Amino acid sequence: MALPQQKVDATEARLSSMSLPSSKGWLGKAREDALSRVRLMGLPSRRDEYWKYTRPDTLVQADAPKAALFNIGEAPVFSGIDRLHLIFVDGVFDPEASDDLELSGVSVELLSQVGDKDIHWATGLYGSLEQDGQSPVQRPLAALNSAYATEGVLIHVTGAAAKPINISYLQRDETSDACLHHVIKLDEGAKLTLLENGPAAARLNKVLEVDIADSAEFRHVRTQGRAHERRAATHIFGRLGERSVFKSFTLTANGVLTRNECVLELTGDSAVAHVAGACVGDGDFHHDDTVFITHDAVDCESRQVFKKVLRNGATGVFQGKILVNQVAQKTDGYQISQSLLLDGDSQFLAKPELEIYADDVVCSHGSTSGAIDEESLFYLKSRGVPHAQAMNLLVLAFLAEAVAEIDEEEIADEIIGRLTNWLERRMS
Amino acid sequence: MLEIKNLQVKLEEEDKQILKGVDLTVEPGTVHAIMGPNGSGKSTLSYVLSGRDGYEVTGGSASLEGEDVLELEPEERAAAGLFLAFQYPVEIPGVGNMTFLRTALNSQRKARGEDEMSATDFLKLVREKAKSLKIDADMLKRPVNVGFSGGEKKRNEVLQMALLEPKMCILDETDSGLDVDAMKLVSEGVNALRSEGRSFLVITHYQRLLDHIKPDVVHIMYDGRIIKSGGPELALEVENNGYADLLEEAV
Ligand SMILES: Nc1ncnc2c1ncn2[C@@H]1O[C@H](COP(=O)(O)OP(=O)(O)OP(=O)(O)O)[C@@H](O)[C@H]1O
Ligand SMILES: [Mg+2]
């Protein structure tokens, strides 16, 4: 089907403002393929069904809208955790500030340094999981990323990683437009925890492709930075082998526009995939979580748990889908999305979807929107807890089910600490 | 301690008068009981005293140690020493009982200008109080009242009272839903708290509780008023004859 002319024009306008990075090696081909995908699909527009609740204009336009730097004067999240620390500033790797790329059980390389090689393990993964994730729903911003990204890390995990890898994204330039593409490959039985934090840039387009072999475990916890004016479109594409585990949790606070897509395919039997998110928005912020989980194997479990606390005009969006193909018998699928609206100015837009072709499955989904429970609030206050503190306790309690998706206690505590600080600053 | 004068209360949302002039004075160190038929306004009185939304005070006053409590926020009333053991304790999913108890205790200490209690001291204190009420560690770990049985919820109320050591304790049907042994435990918990500086207002339907917690004064509430006050024998009269005679007498 031919694209509408308007879409072609908008796409070409964006592409003409960029130049395709040259890579002589394996990466060159991947980029060209990705670019042709972009041209075929066209970049998202407001008319697209998949962008019904979130306006893509500022993510698509040539220049990144300016975003003021934001300093909260707080130690960065995950500081207290023993980790391999990698730092990107406005989307560019900072070797001085980062740790050496050495970690037992893991090889870490930079996309900027290996693209010219003839052969690389990431061939066949880079842009490829993204490509698989373009059907049945198109995700053109991810293809755009595969074509143009020059920065990112390629992580090959061969055993149990000795400690988590933490990638921090700093923003120093009010107009920076970052494009980051990471590829992670976990061999059979390998284990890795990836931590990400920070605003990254005025505008961020990030893709994370994760290939999880049989019995491997990938855990992911990120915080997206409280910079008020930042924008981000992120995609995670994951492929899960037999008995493998994928668990991802995202804390989103503030940010004028955030669209997080997570696209997972469970291809091996008895795989487990959990995607969770806690969003807190107080002001003119827009958070969109779009999740698509495809069950292609027997006896797999998937869980989606999203909680959003909204106030002062904040908007929360959740589009979540569980697709259970005919082969995927004994699927256990669960999806919940809930919002806590702290005033009448905020809104939550949810589109939960189940599409099931197998007959022996247990799938449930639910979506709710509600206010603070007045009975609980009074009960707390009647015990002497001041109003603001009682509100914070109830907000944290509301978010608890999502935070509980984080397996490592130390990391969960970091997230709870951040949430508490945020609440104390914003709500009192 | 507590002085209620001609207190009149209506529902905020509806034009419905519930308390029609309640007069009640509770002296320091005494136990007062309130009995009365269903719907007579006993819980409403306890809610209004503790500051719940939804009621409008249309007349009269209520003061705690001379301070007008009706002007205070619920948390200020708590810090001033007022405590209500709820007829229907609230379940709060996601808030751990321990977190709740510690936050409550420390909030009150802070409001009174005292230091917060350390985590270890607090733990010791809770364990000790919980033990005497036969509240096990599991109940302390669970979210506030979630999945607690009716009787467990009531014991949890008394645990809060024991920890917070309020001056004016209002117990709204704390005995309902308790088995015989739990009733004894709860009564012992309450009796252990009895002291010169602490008063109790015990709302109940049954004489049985008053066998354990001996009241100094018993009041009968009917249709938003205290229609009769007397000694412990008044509770026995209700137990034996019901309310009919008393109501007739009052009319
Ligand atoms: N929020 C409300 N909306 C409507 N009616 C109310 C409300 N609160 C109280 N009432 C009414 O006020 C009256 C007094 O109620 P209250 O709960 O105080 O009675 P009570 O003496 O505690 O009764 P019980 O012995 O059954 O606990 C009842 O008729 C009740 O229906
Ligand atoms: Mg009652």
Side-chain angles (χ1 to χ4, degrees), chain A residues 373-389 393-394 396-398 400, chain B residues 50-52 74-75 78 83-84 86 90 92-95 100 103-104 107-108 144-145 157 160:
Chain A
D373 180 48
E374 291 295 333
E375 291 288 319
S376 303
L377 189 62
F378 173 63
Y379 192 64
L380 291 170
K381 292 204 269 185
S382 79
R383 298 308 183 235
V385 182
H387 180 83
Q389 210 180 341
L393 271 176
L394 293 177
L396 278 176
F398 169 78
Chain B
S50 51
R52 190 184 198 221
E75 61 268 34
F83 181 92
L84 167 64
F86 284 55
V90 181
I92 315 184
V95 176
F100 164 62
T103 309
S107 298
Q108 294 201 11
V144 180
N145 293 326
E157 294 291 289
Q160 293 165 42

Side-chain angles (χ1 to χ4, degrees), chain A residues 141-173:
Chain A
L141 287 171
L144 184 75
N145 177 297
S146 296
Y148 289 93
T150 54
E151 292 276 352
V153 288
L154 306 174
I155 302 175
H156 184 186
V157 192
T158 51
K163 50 188 173 185
I165 294 179
N166 177 200
I167 310 180
S168 294
Y169 308 105
L170 312 185
Q171 184 200 352
R172 296 222 175 103
D173 176 349

Side-chain angles (χ1 to χ4, degrees), chain A residues 159-420:
Chain A
K163 50 188 173 185
I165 294 179
N166 177 200
I167 310 180
S168 294
Y169 308 105
L170 312 185
Q171 184 200 352
R172 296 222 175 103
D173 176 349
E174 291 193 335
T175 59
S176 56
D177 194 13
C179 186
L180 288 158
H181 193 120
H182 307 311
V183 180
I184 301 180
K185 177 179 161 67
L186 291 103
D187 288 350
E188 192 173 331
K191 282 184 188 156
L192 177 73
T193 295
L194 174 69
L195 308 173
E196 297 182 284
N197 66 292
R203 181 170 72 179
L204 169 68
N205 179 334
K206 181 162 68 85
V207 167
L208 170 63
E209 291 171 301
V210 194
D211 186 37
I212 309 168
D214 296 350
S215 304
E217 295 179 15
F218 175 70
R219 290 183 173 76
H220 175 228
V221 177
R222 70 175 153 174
T223 67
Q224 296 190 294
R226 280 182 269 178
H228 288 196
E229 294 171 4
R230 62 163 185 83
R231 287 178 159 75
T234 79
H235 291 81
I236 298 173
F237 296 96
R239 179 165 66 197
L240 283 78
E242 221 174 279
R243 290 185 310 280
S244 68
V245 172
F246 171 100
K247 290 195 179 180
S248 175
F249 171 89
T250 301
L251 169 61
T252 310
N254 306 345
V256 70
L257 177 60
T258 305
R259 161 94 161 198
N260 293 324
E261 295 193 27
C262 183
V263 186
L264 303 177
E265 190 182 7
L266 291 86
T267 62
D269 295 347
S270 306
V272 173
H274 292 193
V275 193
C279 292
V280 285
D282 177 14
D284 190 12
F285 304 126
H286 185 107
H287 301 150
D288 174 336
D289 285 288
T290 292
V291 181
F292 198 113
I293 298 184
T294 306
H295 284 259
D296 268 333
V298 177
D299 188 38
C300 292
E301 172 192 313
S302 73
R303 261 176 88 82
Q304 302 174 34
V305 181
F306 285 85
K307 300 271 190 159
K308 295 171 193 277
V309 179
L310 307 167
R311 197 172 88 154
N312 276 328
T315 301
V317 175
F318 175 75
Q319 304 189 102
K321 178 153 182 171
I322 310 176
L323 169 61
V324 182
N325 282 321
Q326 207 173 346
V327 292
Q329 299 296 352
K330 303 209 177 331
T331 288
D332 179 359
Y334 174 75
Q335 181 194 85
I336 183 110
S337 63
Q338 295 182 307
S339 75
L340 179 60
L341 303 177
L342 296 180
D343 59 25
D345 298 336
S346 310
Q347 59 171 347
F348 178 54
L349 305 161
K351 192 179 172 194
E353 284 182 284
L354 284 179
E355 196 176 326
I356 302 176
Y357 297 102
D359 43 34
D360 182 16
V361 302
V362 183
C363 277
S364 63
H365 67 50
S367 181
T368 63
S369 239
I372 278 280
D373 180 48
E374 291 295 333
E375 291 288 319
S376 303
L377 189 62
F378 173 63
Y379 192 64
L380 291 170
K381 292 204 269 185
S382 79
R383 298 308 183 235
V385 182
H387 180 83
Q389 210 180 341
M391 287 289 286
N392 290 353
L393 271 176
L394 293 177
V395 169
L396 278 176
F398 169 78
L399 296 171
E401 188 188 356
V403 179
E405 289 292 318
I406 302 172
D407 285 335
E408 297 97 328
E409 198 179 338
E410 194 187 12
I411 295 170
D413 285 346
E414 280 276 298
I415 297 297
I416 292 167
R418 290 299 134 156
L419 276 169
T420 308

Side-chain angles (χ1 to χ4, degrees), chain B residues 41 59 67 89 91 100 108 130 147 171 173 177 197:
Chain B
E67 188 178 13
E91 298 188 5
F100 164 62
Q108 294 201 11
L171 288 81
E173 289 194 33

